[in-house]
Amino acid sequence: MIRFTKVNKWYGPDHALIDIDVVIPQGEVVVVCGPSGSGKSTFLRTINRLENIQEGRILVDGTDIYDPKLNVNRFRQKIGFVFQQFNLFPHLNVLDNICCAPIKVAGKSKAQARALGLQLLERVGLEHKAQAYPQQLSGGQQQRVAIARALAMEPPIMLFDEPTSALDPEMVGEVLQVMKQLAKGGMTMVCVTHEMGFAREVADRILFMDAGRIEEDSVPDVFFANPRHPRARAFVADLSGH
Amino acid sequence: MWDIIQNHYQLLLLGTFPQGPLGGLALTLVLSILGLCISFPLSILLALGRLSKFPPVYYLATTIVYVVRGTPLLMLIFWSYFLLPLLIGNTVNPFVTLLCSLVIYEAAYLSEVVRAGIVALPPGQAEAARALGFGRAKTMIYIVLPQAIYNMLPSIVSQFASLIKETSLGYVISVHELTSAANRLNSELLTKPFEVFAILALTYFLVCSTVTFIAHVLERRIAKRRQGQSITPSRVHRDQIYESQ
């Protein structure tokens, strides 16, 4: 479970997150949407401390993640993160990209990590690319490898930061397919995305953010049919206009 | 000129070896290779120091790099040659003196190359590693440095070419490397300085241009590999065909 209590964050004079209060129970799939610059990515990145907050508390499975005694590296192993730009390691092949954290961080044996890596590659449909280098793959394939890499640490929580925004339209489907599979498997997921089809189909809840605040927190049916907040209404109207 | 090479090639290539100590081109290469091998790990430490957020480490590394880069190598050699024996109370072999000076000098220059390589990497690389649970040190060792050093290989090899030329300063403290050997040959022959120093210049040119050529080939290879990172439409198309089969 992830719990935000009165979280505030500033970038210099910019108030990036304002009084965020939200609870994400275990196994829930939450989609975070909103206009650019609304603080969605910042919100997501505070959950695994890629960004620090200045005020408030964030608890993940009951642990205060800003506790000075917390081992951040061990804590981050429990949270998978998928980036917009994939960020695969270009000097390692696909299988090594997936196996490097289990071996170097979790201390698994090479054989164990390799078996796990191949199993994950099969899950994302890329077992035939194990020996390829990231630059030899299409964007969609790279993002699927990045998801497999995050899953290799067997995290109970996965965070997605606009995982399909850098992809050509024809590759979005293959990545969303993998994410849907994960959601069905009971993974706790927080996804910043503009894929409203995915939100409608998979999300348990939608958080709509604007100017650093969570303005709307509702189930997809309510969000799309009857958004309460005027900005969310404009956002949804804008979506259906396209 | 040809007859000088024919009669004295051994002195130029090996010095008085095997009767005496190794010298000539062989010693120049030994000095250069040792210099690079020892200065390289030091340069990584200096580069990390320059990027450190801990002020004492940052200022120490920065001072070393600035002072060394702002000093002529010859000065460094003199300091080592005259100061080192005073400090340790023992005479120091000129070879060791020269090697130490070269290592300090090269470490400062190479550290800037390594630092540039680290800074030029997309920040997403380190972020991805940290998100997977890699600590700072492991991120540096397994993710950042291998890429930074690979990308900087051409500059490192070019720096090696400079290092080869810098060993010629060993002449002033009587290290019997290539320039000393040529000078000695010139003193023996007396009347043929133009030929002797033309041979010397040609030898440096051949060795250094070969090294520079290697750097150029590496640069092209790396550029090609990097180009592969941006996905071209034809590749995407090919993959789609492959996947649909």
Side-chain angles (χ1 to χ4, degrees):
Chain A
M1 187 169 76
I2 305 165
R3 180 189 292 273
F4 278 64
T5 316
K6 289 259 172 256
V7 170
N8 280 281
K9 176 176 174 63
W10 287 265
Y11 287 114
D14 293 332
H15 203 164
L17 295 178
I18 306 169
D19 292 335
I20 303 286
D21 263 306
V22 71
V23 176
I24 299 167
Q26 196 180 341
E28 199 166 76
V29 178
V30 173
V31 163
V32 186
C33 61
S36 22
S38 57
K40 312 180 294 278
S41 286
T42 308
F43 166 75
L44 193 75
R45 290 162 62 92
T46 56
I47 301 176
N48 73 342
R49 278 189 54 177
L50 279 182
E51 299 284 350
N52 284 326
I53 58 169
Q54 279 86 35
E55 261 179 27
R57 277 178 93 190
I58 302 174
L59 299 181
V60 174
D61 290 337
T63 311
D64 182 348
I65 67 168
Y66 287 90
D67 183 346
K69 281 182 238 149
L70 178 86
N71 180 336
V72 182
N73 299 328
R74 193 163 303 157
F75 156 71
R76 283 187 178 133
Q77 294 171 35
K78 290 200 295 185
I79 299 185
F81 199 102
V82 177
F83 296 85
Q84 182 178 1
Q85 298 295 341
F86 333 130
N87 292 344
L88 291 178
F89 306 131
H91 63 302
L92 301 176
N93 69 25
V94 164
L95 192 58
D96 289 340
N97 258 282
I98 298 172
C99 293
C100 67
I103 295 171
K104 308 289 185 200
V105 178
K108 284 207 162 105
S109 75
K110 278 190 181 158
Q112 268 178 317
R114 216 184 131 77
L116 173 70
L118 288 172
Q119 192 191 329
L120 285 168
L121 275 178
E122 203 181 323
R123 204 157 137 195
V124 299
L126 288 171
E127 62 276 26
H128 57 292
K129 294 285 187 189
Q131 301 305 323
Y133 279 84
Q135 53 272 28
Q136 297 166 321
L137 304 181
S138 71
Q141 291 172 330
Q142 288 191 53
Q143 193 60 298
R144 279 145 68 195
V145 173
I147 294 173
R149 179 178 69 175
L151 289 173
M153 296 300 280
E154 298 169 321
I157 300 170
M158 286 282 282
L159 309 176
F160 295 84
D161 190 4
E162 305 205 23
T164 54
S165 301
L167 298 177
D168 289 339
E170 67 267 29
M171 289 172 203
V172 170
E174 61 190 76
V175 172
L176 291 181
Q177 196 56 42
V178 172
M179 290 170 64
K180 282 177 196 166
Q181 262 179 38
L182 276 179
K184 277 185 200 144
M187 176 76 76
T188 309
M189 289 166 64
V190 186
C191 319
V192 171
T193 181
H194 296 294
E195 293 299 329
M196 289 302 123
F198 173 81
R200 208 186 282 260
E201 192 184 334
V202 181
D204 297 307
R205 251 163 86 198
I206 294 185
L207 302 180
F208 174 79
M209 288 188 74
D210 188 43
R213 290 179 202 275
I214 294 179
E215 300 285 17
E216 177 118 12
D217 178 351
S218 46
V219 294
D221 289 345
V222 173
F223 180 79
F224 287 111
N226 189 20
R228 284 182 296 254
H229 195 275
R231 288 217 180 92
R233 220 171 289 148
F235 183 77
V236 172
D238 203 30
L239 285 176
S240 48
H242 283 298
Chain B
M1 204 153 103
W2 187 240
D3 56 310
I4 298 177
I5 295 174
Q6 264 185 330
N7 294 330
H8 302 281
Y9 72 92
Q10 214 164 359
L11 178 68
L12 290 171
L13 284 182
L14 299 171
T16 51
F17 191 80
Q19 289 81 25
L22 188 70
L25 180 62
L27 189 65
T28 291
L29 292 177
V30 167
L31 271 166
S32 313
I33 291 167
L34 276 179
L36 187 73
C37 292
I38 303 172
S39 61
F40 187 56
L42 289 178
S43 74
I44 293 176
L45 289 180
L46 275 178
L48 294 179
R50 293 266 285 132
L51 293 168
S52 169
K53 290 193 175 103
F54 185 53
V57 174
Y58 168 78
Y59 285 114
L60 179 70
T62 306
T63 310
I64 294 174
V65 170
Y66 271 63
V67 167
V68 174
R69 277 165 55 102
T71 317
L73 175 58
L74 189 59
M75 195 82 83
L76 211 59
I77 293 172
F78 281 148
W79 275 353
S80 317
Y81 190 65
F82 295 114
L83 270 182
L84 225 57
L86 284 178
L87 287 177
I88 60 174
N90 237 332
T91 51
V92 182
N93 171 337
F95 173 84
V96 176
T97 308
L98 179 63
L99 186 60
C100 287
S101 314
L102 288 173
V103 164
I104 295 168
Y105 197 71
E106 280 310 307
Y109 274 88
L110 276 177
S111 74
E112 289 297 272
V113 171
V114 174
R115 189 177 69 100
I118 293 172
V119 172
L121 273 191
Q125 287 293 308
E127 238 173 32
R130 300 308 302 277
L132 284 166
F134 282 79
R136 276 180 205 283
K138 282 184 177 171
T139 300
M140 206 31 101
I141 294 168
Y142 297 116
I143 306 301
V144 174
L145 278 179
Q147 294 186 60
I149 291 168
Y150 176 77
N151 291 342
M152 285 294 142
L153 265 182
S155 307
I156 294 168
V157 176
S158 299
Q159 197 62 36
F160 180 60
S162 309
L163 182 57
I164 293 171
K165 289 179 280 183
E166 283 154 5
T167 57
S168 65
L169 288 173
Y171 164 69
V172 298
I173 55 167
S174 313
V175 176
H176 299 297
E177 42 65 63
L178 183 60
T179 305
S180 298
N183 201 51
R184 190 168 152 186
L185 183 59
N186 183 42
S187 313
E188 275 176 27
L189 298 174
L190 279 175
T191 53
K192 294 187 171 156
F194 174 76
E195 287 88 339
V196 170
F197 289 114
I199 292 168
L200 179 65
L202 208 65
T203 314
Y204 275 117
F205 173 74
L206 280 177
V207 174
C208 292
S209 54
T210 309
V211 172
T212 311
F213 177 72
I214 293 170
H216 180 67
V217 171
L218 276 174
E219 199 170 344
R220 277 181 44 186
R221 267 192 158 190
I222 291 168
K224 226 175 175 179
R225 236 187 110 147
R226 274 207 211 111
Q227 257 177 8
Q229 284 176 14
S230 59
I231 304 301
T232 56
S234 61
R235 169 170 291 151
V236 171
H237 188 61
R238 201 176 57 222
D239 276 353
Q240 279 170 345
I241 293 169
Y242 176 61
E243 280 196 335
S244 64
Q245 277 168 352

